[in-house]
Amino acid sequence: VYKAHDKLLERNVALTVLHPHYGDDTEYVERFRREARAVAPLSHPNIVTVIDRGEAGGHQFIVFELIDGENLKELVNRTGPLPVRRAVELAVAVADGLAFAHEHGLVHRDVKPQNVLLNGDGEAKVTDFGIARSLDVEHGVTQTGTVLGTSNYLSPEQASGKQVTPATDVYSLGVVL
């Protein structure tokens, strides 16, 4: 992920480039493209906005709004445990973003502190829908039986390779809290 400048719109953006090592792996490329397609229609104050997706010089990229701040893990590492009120405020904001994604048929599947970005005002925004799964897809890139996500935050159904639901993200958010 790079901080970049959009010359056309004169603004800074976050540019995520698929590592060249994965550029020849059709599954990784499709997952990367799917992240952009899945999140692009999600316009919510607690979800990082996708601006564009493309390919240049054989490199796949996604352009996101730039969140100029730190992630939740960095905050907790820097300050220690958060006051209960602040932790609950952040959890509610993340839950609002996830609920919006769920209403639009997406389960994040990798809710963890590193995927909660805090902007300059300290507001939470969910990012990295790279392994999100559509609730209405039966035969997508990732199938039931495939375990994806960060082990410390996995729900029991995810850890056992079973079908994910919005409850998967709620469980992971509970672990984060």
Side-chain angles (χ1 to χ4, degrees):
V1 178
Y2 300 94
K3 181 177 181 178
H5 185 74
D6 180 341
K7 291 180 181 180
L8 187 63
L9 297 174
E10 292 297 321
R11 64 179 171 183
N12 289 329
V13 295
L15 181 66
T16 300
V17 179
L18 183 63
H19 191 282
H21 175 77
Y22 300 110
D24 292 330
D25 185 322
T26 56
E27 183 176 330
Y28 272 90
V29 169
E30 180 54 28
R31 189 176 298 149
F32 192 75
R33 289 176 179 166
R34 188 168 42 106
E35 175 182 5
R37 284 191 307 266
V39 181
L42 301 181
S43 180
H44 188 276
N46 299 112
I47 297 176
V48 175
T49 303
V50 170
I51 298 170
D52 197 6
R53 186 202 72 76
E55 181 180 345
H59 300 283
Q60 301 286 327
F61 65 86
I62 303 173
V63 182
F64 293 95
E65 73 174 299
L66 178 66
I67 307 302
D68 203 8
E70 60 190 343
N71 67 44
L72 184 55
K73 182 173 183 165
E74 292 167 336
L75 174 65
V76 172
N77 284 342
R78 184 172 54 78
T79 66
L82 301 178
V84 171
R85 177 180 296 281
R86 180 66 177 139
V88 170
E89 287 171 354
L90 291 173
V92 167
V94 171
D96 285 346
L98 291 172
F100 188 81
H102 298 158
E103 290 166 9
H104 288 82
L106 284 179
V107 177
H108 189 284
R109 301 197 326 163
D110 197 21
V111 177
K112 61 185 178 182
Q114 298 90 319
N115 287 340
V116 176
L117 302 182
L118 305 171
N119 68 14
D121 296 327
E123 296 170 347
K125 290 189 167 254
V126 180
T127 192
D128 197 2
F129 280 77
I131 62 171
R133 177 149 173 90
S134 173
L135 292 172
D136 61 0
V137 171
E138 288 183 26
H139 301 290
V141 172
T142 53
Q143 303 287 328
T144 299
T146 303
V147 178
L148 293 173
T150 304
S151 62
N152 292 343
Y153 304 95
L154 285 179
S155 66
E157 67 273 13
Q158 214 173 343
S160 61
K162 295 181 181 169
Q163 185 171 356
V164 297
T165 68
T168 301
D169 289 344
V170 173
Y171 180 94
S172 297
L173 179 56
V175 175
V176 169
L177 182 56

CSV table of all heavy atoms in Angstrom, one decimal, residues 73-103:
chain,number,residue,atom,x,y,z
A,73,LYS,N,-4.6,-1.5,15.9
A,73,LYS,CA,-3.5,-2.2,16.6
A,73,LYS,C,-2.4,-1.2,17.0
A,73,LYS,O,-1.9,-1.3,18.1
A,73,LYS,CB,-3.0,-3.3,15.7
A,73,LYS,CG,-1.9,-4.1,16.4
A,73,LYS,CD,-1.4,-5.3,15.6
A,73,LYS,CE,-0.4,-6.0,16.4
A,73,LYS,NZ,-0.1,-7.3,16.0
A,74,GLU,N,-2.1,-0.3,16.0
A,74,GLU,CA,-1.1,0.7,16.3
A,74,GLU,C,-1.5,1.5,17.5
A,74,GLU,O,-0.6,1.8,18.4
A,74,GLU,CB,-0.8,1.5,15.1
A,74,GLU,CG,-0.1,0.8,14.0
A,74,GLU,CD,-0.2,1.5,12.6
A,74,GLU,OE1,-1.0,2.4,12.4
A,74,GLU,OE2,0.7,1.2,11.8
A,75,LEU,N,-2.7,1.9,17.6
A,75,LEU,CA,-3.2,2.8,18.7
A,75,LEU,C,-3.1,2.0,20.0
A,75,LEU,O,-2.5,2.6,21.0
A,75,LEU,CB,-4.7,3.2,18.4
A,75,LEU,CG,-5.4,3.9,19.6
A,75,LEU,CD1,-4.7,5.3,19.8
A,75,LEU,CD2,-6.9,4.0,19.4
A,76,VAL,N,-3.5,0.8,20.0
A,76,VAL,CA,-3.4,0.0,21.3
A,76,VAL,C,-2.0,-0.2,21.7
A,76,VAL,O,-1.6,-0.1,22.9
A,76,VAL,CB,-4.3,-1.3,21.2
A,76,VAL,CG1,-4.0,-2.2,22.4
A,76,VAL,CG2,-5.7,-0.9,21.1
A,77,ASN,N,-1.1,-0.5,20.7
A,77,ASN,CA,0.3,-0.7,21.0
A,77,ASN,C,0.9,0.6,21.6
A,77,ASN,O,1.8,0.5,22.4
A,77,ASN,CB,1.1,-1.1,19.8
A,77,ASN,CG,0.8,-2.6,19.4
A,77,ASN,OD1,0.4,-3.4,20.3
A,77,ASN,ND2,1.1,-3.0,18.2
A,78,ARG,N,0.5,1.7,21.1
A,78,ARG,CA,1.0,3.0,21.5
A,78,ARG,C,0.5,3.5,22.8
A,78,ARG,O,1.2,4.0,23.7
A,78,ARG,CB,0.7,4.1,20.4
A,78,ARG,CG,1.3,5.4,20.7
A,78,ARG,CD,1.1,6.4,19.5
A,78,ARG,NE,-0.3,6.5,19.0
A,78,ARG,CZ,-1.2,7.3,19.6
A,78,ARG,NH1,-0.9,7.9,20.7
A,78,ARG,NH2,-2.4,7.4,19.1
A,79,THR,N,-0.8,3.2,23.1
A,79,THR,CA,-1.4,3.8,24.3
A,79,THR,C,-1.8,2.8,25.4
A,79,THR,O,-2.1,3.1,26.5
A,79,THR,CB,-2.8,4.5,23.9
A,79,THR,OG1,-3.7,3.5,23.5
A,79,THR,CG2,-2.5,5.6,22.9
A,80,GLY,N,-1.8,1.5,25.0
A,80,GLY,CA,-2.2,0.5,25.9
A,80,GLY,C,-3.7,0.3,25.8
A,80,GLY,O,-4.3,0.9,24.9
A,81,PRO,N,-4.3,-0.4,26.7
A,81,PRO,CA,-5.8,-0.7,26.6
A,81,PRO,C,-6.5,0.7,26.6
A,81,PRO,O,-6.2,1.6,27.3
A,81,PRO,CB,-6.1,-1.4,27.9
A,81,PRO,CG,-4.8,-2.1,28.3
A,81,PRO,CD,-3.7,-1.1,27.9
A,82,LEU,N,-7.6,0.7,25.8
A,82,LEU,CA,-8.4,1.9,25.6
A,82,LEU,C,-9.4,2.0,26.8
A,82,LEU,O,-9.8,1.0,27.3
A,82,LEU,CB,-9.1,1.9,24.3
A,82,LEU,CG,-8.3,1.8,23.0
A,82,LEU,CD1,-9.2,1.8,21.8
A,82,LEU,CD2,-7.3,3.0,22.9
A,83,PRO,N,-9.8,3.2,27.1
A,83,PRO,CA,-10.9,3.4,28.1
A,83,PRO,C,-12.1,2.7,27.5
A,83,PRO,O,-12.3,2.7,26.3
A,83,PRO,CB,-11.1,4.9,28.2
A,83,PRO,CG,-9.8,5.5,27.7
A,83,PRO,CD,-9.2,4.5,26.7
A,84,VAL,N,-12.9,2.1,28.4
A,84,VAL,CA,-14.1,1.3,28.0
A,84,VAL,C,-15.0,2.1,27.0
A,84,VAL,O,-15.4,1.7,26.0
A,84,VAL,CB,-14.9,0.8,29.2
A,84,VAL,CG1,-16.2,0.2,28.8
A,84,VAL,CG2,-14.0,-0.2,30.0
A,85,ARG,N,-15.2,3.4,27.4
A,85,ARG,CA,-16.1,4.2,26.5
A,85,ARG,C,-15.5,4.3,25.1
A,85,ARG,O,-16.3,4.2,24.1
A,85,ARG,CB,-16.3,5.6,27.1
A,85,ARG,CG,-17.1,6.5,26.3
A,85,ARG,CD,-17.3,7.9,26.9
A,85,ARG,NE,-18.1,7.9,28.1
A,85,ARG,CZ,-19.4,7.8,28.2
A,85,ARG,NH1,-20.1,7.7,27.1
A,85,ARG,NH2,-20.0,7.8,29.4
A,86,ARG,N,-14.2,4.6,25.0
A,86,ARG,CA,-13.6,4.7,23.7
A,86,ARG,C,-13.7,3.4,22.9
A,86,ARG,O,-13.9,3.4,21.7
A,86,ARG,CB,-12.2,5.2,23.8
A,86,ARG,CG,-11.5,5.4,22.5
A,86,ARG,CD,-12.1,6.5,21.7
A,86,ARG,NE,-11.3,6.7,20.5
A,86,ARG,CZ,-11.9,7.0,19.3
A,86,ARG,NH1,-13.2,7.1,19.1
A,86,ARG,NH2,-11.1,7.1,18.2
A,87,ALA,N,-13.4,2.3,23.6
A,87,ALA,CA,-13.4,1.0,22.9
A,87,ALA,C,-14.8,0.7,22.4
A,87,ALA,O,-14.9,0.2,21.3
A,87,ALA,CB,-12.9,-0.1,23.9
A,88,VAL,N,-15.8,1.0,23.2
A,88,VAL,CA,-17.2,0.7,22.8
A,88,VAL,C,-17.5,1.6,21.6
A,88,VAL,O,-18.2,1.2,20.6
A,88,VAL,CB,-18.2,0.9,24.0
A,88,VAL,CG1,-19.6,0.8,23.5
A,88,VAL,CG2,-17.9,-0.2,25.0
A,89,GLU,N,-17.1,2.9,21.6
A,89,GLU,CA,-17.4,3.8,20.5
A,89,GLU,C,-16.8,3.3,19.2
A,89,GLU,O,-17.5,3.3,18.2
A,89,GLU,CB,-16.8,5.2,20.8
A,89,GLU,CG,-17.5,6.0,21.8
A,89,GLU,CD,-16.7,7.3,22.2
A,89,GLU,OE1,-15.6,7.5,21.7
A,89,GLU,OE2,-17.3,8.1,23.0
A,90,LEU,N,-15.6,2.8,19.3
A,90,LEU,CA,-14.9,2.3,18.1
A,90,LEU,C,-15.6,1.0,17.6
A,90,LEU,O,-15.9,0.8,16.4
A,90,LEU,CB,-13.5,2.1,18.3
A,90,LEU,CG,-12.6,3.3,18.5
A,90,LEU,CD1,-11.2,3.0,18.9
A,90,LEU,CD2,-12.6,4.1,17.2
A,91,ALA,N,-16.0,0.1,18.6
A,91,ALA,CA,-16.6,-1.1,18.2
A,91,ALA,C,-18.0,-0.8,17.6
A,91,ALA,O,-18.4,-1.5,16.6
A,91,ALA,CB,-16.8,-2.0,19.5
A,92,VAL,N,-18.7,0.1,18.1
A,92,VAL,CA,-20.0,0.5,17.5
A,92,VAL,C,-19.8,1.0,16.1
A,92,VAL,O,-20.6,0.6,15.1
A,92,VAL,CB,-20.8,1.5,18.4
A,92,VAL,CG1,-22.0,2.1,17.6
A,92,VAL,CG2,-21.3,0.8,19.6
A,93,ALA,N,-18.8,1.8,15.8
A,93,ALA,CA,-18.6,2.4,14.5
A,93,ALA,C,-18.2,1.2,13.5
A,93,ALA,O,-18.7,1.2,12.4
A,93,ALA,CB,-17.5,3.4,14.6
A,94,VAL,N,-17.4,0.3,14.0
A,94,VAL,CA,-17.0,-0.8,13.1
A,94,VAL,C,-18.2,-1.7,12.9
A,94,VAL,O,-18.5,-2.1,11.7
A,94,VAL,CB,-15.9,-1.7,13.8
A,94,VAL,CG1,-15.6,-3.0,13.0
A,94,VAL,CG2,-14.6,-0.8,13.8
A,95,ALA,N,-19.0,-1.9,13.9
A,95,ALA,CA,-20.3,-2.7,13.7
A,95,ALA,C,-21.2,-2.0,12.7
A,95,ALA,O,-21.8,-2.7,11.9
A,95,ALA,CB,-21.0,-2.9,15.1
A,96,ASP,N,-21.3,-0.7,12.8
A,96,ASP,CA,-22.2,0.0,11.8
A,96,ASP,C,-21.7,-0.3,10.4
A,96,ASP,O,-22.5,-0.5,9.5
A,96,ASP,CB,-22.2,1.5,12.1
A,96,ASP,CG,-23.0,1.9,13.3
A,96,ASP,OD1,-23.8,1.0,13.8
A,96,ASP,OD2,-22.9,3.0,13.7
A,97,GLY,N,-20.4,-0.2,10.2
A,97,GLY,CA,-19.8,-0.4,8.8
A,97,GLY,C,-20.0,-1.9,8.4
A,97,GLY,O,-20.4,-2.1,7.3
A,98,LEU,N,-19.8,-2.8,9.3
A,98,LEU,CA,-20.0,-4.2,9.0
A,98,LEU,C,-21.5,-4.5,8.7
A,98,LEU,O,-21.8,-5.2,7.7
A,98,LEU,CB,-19.5,-5.1,10.1
A,98,LEU,CG,-17.9,-5.1,10.3
A,98,LEU,CD1,-17.6,-5.9,11.5
A,98,LEU,CD2,-17.2,-5.7,9.1
A,99,ALA,N,-22.4,-3.9,9.5
A,99,ALA,CA,-23.8,-4.1,9.3
A,99,ALA,C,-24.2,-3.6,7.9
A,99,ALA,O,-25.0,-4.3,7.2
A,99,ALA,CB,-24.6,-3.4,10.3
A,100,PHE,N,-23.6,-2.5,7.5
A,100,PHE,CA,-23.9,-2.0,6.1
A,100,PHE,C,-23.4,-3.0,5.1
A,100,PHE,O,-24.1,-3.2,4.1
A,100,PHE,CB,-23.3,-0.6,6.0
A,100,PHE,CG,-23.7,0.1,4.7
A,100,PHE,CD1,-24.9,0.8,4.6
A,100,PHE,CD2,-22.8,0.1,3.6
A,100,PHE,CE1,-25.2,1.4,3.4
A,100,PHE,CE2,-23.2,0.7,2.4
A,100,PHE,CZ,-24.4,1.4,2.3
A,101,ALA,N,-22.2,-3.5,5.2
A,101,ALA,CA,-21.7,-4.5,4.3
A,101,ALA,C,-22.6,-5.7,4.3
A,101,ALA,O,-22.9,-6.2,3.2
A,101,ALA,CB,-20.3,-4.9,4.7
A,102,HIS,N,-23.0,-6.2,5.4
A,102,HIS,CA,-23.9,-7.3,5.5
A,102,HIS,C,-25.2,-7.1,4.8
A,102,HIS,O,-25.7,-8.0,4.1
A,102,HIS,CB,-24.2,-7.7,7.0
A,102,HIS,CG,-23.0,-8.1,7.7
A,102,HIS,ND1,-22.9,-8.0,9.1
A,102,HIS,CD2,-21.7,-8.5,7.3
A,102,HIS,CE1,-21.7,-8.4,9.5
A,102,HIS,NE2,-21.0,-8.7,8.5
A,103,GLU,N,-25.8,-5.9,5.0
A,103,GLU,CA,-27.0,-5.5,4.3
A,103,GLU,C,-26.8,-5.6,2.8
A,103,GLU,O,-27.8,-5.8,2.0
A,103,GLU,CB,-27.5,-4.1,4.7
A,103,GLU,CG,-28.0,-4.0,6.1
A,103,GLU,CD,-28.1,-2.6,6.6
A,103,GLU,OE1,-28.0,-1.6,5.8
A,103,GLU,OE2,-28.4,-2.4,7.8
